[in-house]
């Protein structure tokens, strides 16, 4: 046993022996679940030295997009997608942000566990950044992985106009992939004139699954082609930055495994089949191109929409390169939390809607809509460093990818049945009429947003905050005492529960918690689509019935009526599917 493990053991013992040690069965169960979290993503990361300074300017711009024609956007540093910011885990990131937009904005670091004051939420963590003003965002990333940033103010318009960028937090010792590829997946709704349709937050968008575009892009290009050599081993980082569209990229033609979800490494390489990449989600793949594949072309098809379409193409050519051999980075410790459903809910959220508000429809959490972050008061208080179970009950017939800032969670059950989803998320899609239970141990104090990442739903009120820390019950003794070390001194081998030593995951030490698609094609494929999937997705064949109206015209609460007119084609293909 290493010194670190020894200290943790003594600490755990000390906690167990304290007068306030768990008494009732519920307390004991919570304590056990909390202890099971120990060894997951770290509570603290010490600044390891190293600074990354970036200037970030949001401003209107005209840039070549799609087929290269000039296109008016709002952009970070004149690019769409915005710049890729990079830092190593444990380095300090300082972003001097300036707003040159005609309206207020903020920058939110999606999925990054930043100090609460750096979270970029207007009225909650900072005042809005007015036109001409600046704000300096500063944080030390605690988790290596794929993250992104975007405005958190009028985001249904600002993100759609082009404001989003990627933040890559590198491992302390990055693995020797032959190359890293980032695919920022997005869609755009263009008008007849080929410009961004300036009608935002339309009743149709609000009533349905947000603004689905009629052009899908990868890195701002339609029909993205990636040229690779035989033998290459790639780290492919996928991000969905769309306002509302969900993607389900089919990688079955490739030798690919998922190594990270929403930034964090998975416990083992997972088959990518069926993962639903909803707005906000990220997926990292480890892809090997066999050395005898010269001349091949692999199409990555999106299968979420009713009409599958080509998202991107991988073209293999040129001389074969040696394939680097190294163990998969997917070796994180993620608690199983098999008993997570056994403890009472800390909070349950009904996802629903009602008439009213500036858009004519309000999207609500437990009957409350916070339009434009107005008067945000915490709707739950969670104690720091203690297991909590939350529930999202979707009373509507629309999709709601629920995102929580400042923490990761694990899906425990869908519709009451336990699901084996062995990885962390910061965003989980709650399907129409579905109930999703999640488990989490919040380790960062503050008021954190919880909202739907369909940006139109969020703008129309589907937002709230949850308070972690002092407002909740006191953290268990010892929480936060084990500060994370990013220098690898507490290597993977020091972790009793870690599966194997890992070149990349050894920084994830103890948490310190003892206890074109062608335009027409794309437009036809819009709309919510109740996809069932195995693998990373939902278990195959579930909900085969029980969501009767999703494919038909329907109001958000009522199956059967009100869907947008141009979807006849979808309806017929939907009936075919239903018949199948
Ligand atoms: Cu990506 Cu609160 O957002
Ligand atoms: Cu929603």
């Amino acid at each position: 046993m290493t010194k670190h493990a020894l200290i943790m053991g003594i600490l755990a013992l000390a906690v167990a022996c304290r007068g306030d040690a768990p008494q009732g069965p519920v307390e004991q169960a919570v304590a056990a679940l909390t202890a099971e979290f120990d060894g997951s993503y770290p509570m603290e990361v010490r600044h390891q030295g190293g600074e990354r300074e970036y200037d970030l300017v949001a401003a209107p711009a005209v840039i070549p997009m799609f087929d290269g024609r000039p296109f008016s956007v709002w952009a970070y540093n004149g690019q769409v997608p915005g710049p890729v910011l990079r830092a190593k885990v444990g380095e300090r990131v300082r972003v001097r942000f300036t707003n040159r937009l005609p309206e207020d904005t903020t920058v939110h670091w999606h999925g990054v566990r930043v100090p609460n004051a750096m979270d970029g939420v207007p009225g909650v963590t900072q005042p809005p950044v007015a036109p001409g003003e600046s704000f300096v965002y500063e944080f030390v990333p605690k988790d290596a992985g794929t993250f992104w940033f975007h405005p958190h103010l009028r985001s249904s318009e600002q993100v759609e106009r082009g404001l989003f960028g990627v933040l890559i937090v590198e491992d302390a010792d990055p693995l020797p992939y032959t190359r890293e590829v980032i695919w920022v997946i997005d869609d755009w709704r263009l008008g007849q004139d080929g410009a961004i349709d300036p009608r935002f937050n339309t009743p149709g968008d609000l009533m349905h699954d947000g603004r689905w575009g009629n052009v899908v892009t990868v890195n701002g290009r339609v029909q993205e082609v990636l040229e690779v050599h035989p033998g290459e081993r790639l780290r492919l980082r996928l991000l969905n930055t769309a306002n509302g569209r969900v993607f389900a990229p089919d990688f079955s033609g490739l030798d690919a495994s998922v190594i990270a979800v929403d930034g964090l490494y998975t416990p083992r390489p997972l088959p990518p089949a069926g993962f639903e990449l909803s707005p906000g989600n990220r997926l990292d793949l480890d892809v090997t191109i066999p050395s005898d594949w010269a001349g091949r072309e692999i199409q990555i098809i999106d299968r979420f929409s009713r009409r599958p379409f080509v998202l991107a193409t991988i073209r293999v050519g040129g001389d074969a390169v040696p394939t680097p051999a190294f163990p998969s980075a997917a070796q994180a410790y993620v608690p199983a939390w098999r008993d997570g459903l056994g403890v009472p809910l800390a909070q349950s959220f009904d996802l629903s809607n009602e008439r009213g508000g500036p858009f004519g429809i309000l999207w609500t959490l437990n009957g409350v809509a916070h339009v434009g972050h107005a008067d945000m008061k915490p709707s739950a208080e969670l104690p720091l460093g203690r297991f909590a179970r939350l529930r999202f009950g979707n009373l509507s017939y629309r999709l709601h990818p629920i995102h929580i800032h400042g923490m990761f969670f694990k899906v425990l059950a869908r519709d009451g049945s336990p699901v084996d989803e062995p990885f962390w998320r910061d965003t989980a899609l709650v399907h129409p009429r579905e109930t999703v239970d999640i488990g989490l141990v919040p380790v960062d104090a503050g008021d954190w947003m919880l909202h739907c990442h369909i940006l139109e739903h969020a703008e129309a009120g589907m937002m709230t905050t949850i308070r972690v820390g002092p407002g909740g019950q006191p953290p268990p003794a010892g929480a936060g005492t084990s500060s994370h070390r990013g220098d690898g001194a507490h290597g993977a081998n020091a972790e009793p529960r870690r599966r194997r030593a890992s070149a990349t995951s050894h920084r994830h030490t103890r948490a310190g918690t003892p206890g074109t698609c062608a335009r027409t094609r794309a437009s036809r494929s819009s709309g919510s689509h109740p996809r069932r999937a195995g693998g990373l997705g939902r278990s195959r064949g579930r909900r085969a019935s029980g969501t009767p109206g999703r494919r038909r015209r329907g109001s958000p609460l009522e199956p059967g009526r009100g869907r947008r007119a141009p979807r006849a084609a979808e309806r017929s293909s939907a009936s075919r599917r239903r018949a199948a």
Side-chain angles (χ1 to χ4, degrees):
M1 186 187 271
T2 67
K3 199 166 114 203
H4 180 66
L6 193 67
I7 290 169
M8 291 308 293
I10 291 169
L11 198 60
L13 207 67
V15 169
C17 298
R18 275 160 40 118
D20 57 3
Q23 287 141 13
V26 167
E27 279 307 301
Q28 280 178 19
V30 169
L33 291 158
T34 304
E36 211 186 325
F37 174 78
D38 189 12
S40 309
Y41 64 83
M43 183 145 192
E44 282 304 329
V45 172
R46 225 180 37 200
H47 177 214
Q48 300 298 310
E51 312 266 334
R52 302 284 182 128
E53 305 238 351
Y54 291 101
D55 287 306
L56 191 68
V57 179
V62 178
I63 56 170
M65 283 275 290
F66 310 117
D67 44 9
R69 69 201 153 87
F71 187 67
S72 293
V73 292
W74 289 357
Y76 287 126
N77 294 0
Q79 302 166 233
V80 176
V84 176
L85 310 186
R86 282 179 186 274
K88 275 196 171 155
V89 68
E91 284 183 329
R92 176 168 288 117
V93 179
R94 188 176 296 122
V95 179
R96 285 182 301 263
F97 171 69
T98 304
N99 178 10
R100 301 214 185 283
L101 300 171
E103 61 185 45
D104 290 356
T105 190
T106 61
V107 183
H108 166 60
W109 308 91
H110 182 121
V112 187
R113 294 192 296 131
V114 296
N116 193 250
M118 296 291 123
D119 202 37
V121 183
V124 177
T125 69
Q126 69 169 100
V129 183
E133 284 186 356
S134 292
F135 188 93
V136 180
Y137 292 93
E138 199 175 290
F139 52 88
V140 177
K142 302 177 184 185
D143 308 295
T146 305
F147 302 96
W148 64 300
F149 54 95
H150 61 77
H152 219 283
L153 202 159
R154 303 188 70 246
S155 55
S156 59
E157 175 170 347
Q158 294 192 3
V159 175
E160 181 66 9
R161 285 190 181 278
L163 290 169
F164 47 87
V166 175
L167 171 66
I168 301 295
V169 181
E170 290 166 351
D171 292 299
D173 313 297
L175 288 167
Y177 294 96
T178 47
R179 119 162 74 165
E180 178 188 287
V181 177
I182 301 171
W183 279 357
V184 179
I185 309 174
D186 196 7
D187 67 347
W188 303 80
R189 189 185 295 166
L190 306 183
Q192 298 293 334
D193 56 355
I196 293 175
D197 187 331
R199 292 166 299 178
F200 294 96
N201 304 312
T202 67
D205 297 344
L206 265 296
M207 291 272 287
H208 300 98
D209 300 314
R211 178 172 167 125
W212 284 51
N214 44 20
V215 177
V216 172
T217 56
V218 172
N219 299 339
R221 294 183 285 269
V222 282
Q223 303 286 12
E224 172 76 340
V225 176
L226 172 67
E227 314 245 3
V228 299
H229 289 268
E232 281 203 74
R233 183 166 174 186
L234 320 165
R235 178 169 184 160
L236 181 55
R237 302 178 186 259
L238 308 178
L239 303 94
N240 181 357
T241 63
N243 279 28
R245 183 186 288 265
V246 180
F247 298 91
D250 180 350
F251 289 96
S252 56
L254 279 179
D255 173 6
S257 58
V258 171
I259 55 166
V261 176
D262 285 353
L264 296 192
Y265 286 117
T266 55
R268 55 181 181 275
L270 300 168
F275 189 85
E276 295 173 332
L277 195 72
S278 59
N281 279 137
R282 288 89 65 216
L283 204 59
D284 287 35
L285 303 179
D286 184 341
V287 181
T288 298
I289 309 292
S291 49
D292 57 354
W293 272 24
R296 281 219 211 182
E297 227 178 63
I298 306 102
Q299 291 188 323
I300 309 303
I301 313 270
D302 174 69
R303 299 199 183 278
F304 188 84
S305 355
R306 292 159 196 167
R307 297 238 169 157
F309 58 88
V310 178
L311 211 49
T313 302
I314 297 178
R315 197 172 286 157
V316 188
D319 297 334
V321 300
T323 305
F326 51 84
S328 171
Q331 302 184 32
Y333 168 68
V334 178
W337 280 343
R338 292 219 169 71
D339 303 324
L341 296 171
V343 302
L345 289 165
Q347 183 65 254
S348 176
F349 296 92
D350 283 349
L351 319 179
S352 189
N353 65 9
E354 55 193 56
R355 284 177 200 282
F359 311 115
I361 177 171
L362 293 167
W363 281 101
T364 59
L365 290 161
N366 289 341
V368 179
H370 285 291
V371 177
H373 304 82
D375 301 322
M376 210 62 95
K377 274 182 216 67
S379 59
E381 300 199 350
L382 302 180
L384 194 62
R386 232 177 97 94
F387 177 85
R389 178 164 66 108
L390 304 179
R391 171 172 290 174
F392 305 105
N394 187 354
L395 307 183
S396 78
Y397 284 87
R398 309 317 320 178
L399 300 166
H400 301 296
I402 297 295
H403 171 50
I404 309 182
H405 291 200
M407 63 199 80
F408 297 96
F409 56 82
K410 190 167 185 276
V411 172
L412 301 178
R414 290 187 184 268
D415 288 335
S417 312
V419 294
D420 182 24
E421 211 182 75
F423 48 85
W424 298 110
R425 293 173 167 275
D426 61 38
T427 306
L429 184 57
V430 184
H431 299 79
R433 309 298 291 183
E434 186 179 47
T435 296
V436 173
D437 283 28
I438 64 166
L440 51 82
V441 173
V443 296
D444 292 280
D447 284 3
W448 300 107
M449 293 296 298
L450 181 159
H451 64 90
C452 180
H453 220 288
I454 288 183
L455 300 176
E456 288 73 18
H457 292 179
E459 283 303 296
M462 195 172 264
M463 299 198 266
T464 188
T465 56
I466 53 179
R467 176 164 293 171
V468 174
Q473 295 161 36
T481 53
S482 148
S483 110
H484 165 78
R485 300 191 44 183
D487 55 8
H490 296 159
N493 293 323
E495 297 301 313
R497 270 202 291 245
R498 191 166 300 291
R499 298 172 163 267
R500 280 168 286 166
S502 157
T504 57
S505 58
H506 62 243
R507 282 155 312 283
H508 300 249
T509 59
R510 291 191 166 263
T513 52
T516 336
C517 104
R519 200 176 299 171
T520 45
R521 210 173 346 160
S523 67
R524 285 205 195 104
S525 62
S526 70
S528 75
H529 167 73
R531 189 159 189 290
R532 280 170 287 283
L536 280 178
R538 311 158 72 214
S539 47
R540 195 176 299 277
R542 295 190 53 237
R543 305 185 57 82
S545 56
T547 54
R550 274 184 291 175
R551 296 161 184 166
R552 279 179 273 138
R553 301 169 69 85
S555 85
L557 280 179
E558 208 183 317
R561 274 175 290 126
R563 186 181 262 283
R564 279 178 276 196
R567 294 193 172 159
E570 299 171 12
R571 285 201 301 278
S572 56
S573 81
S575 358
R576 274 199 303 280
R577 285 182 70 102
R578 205 163 26 237

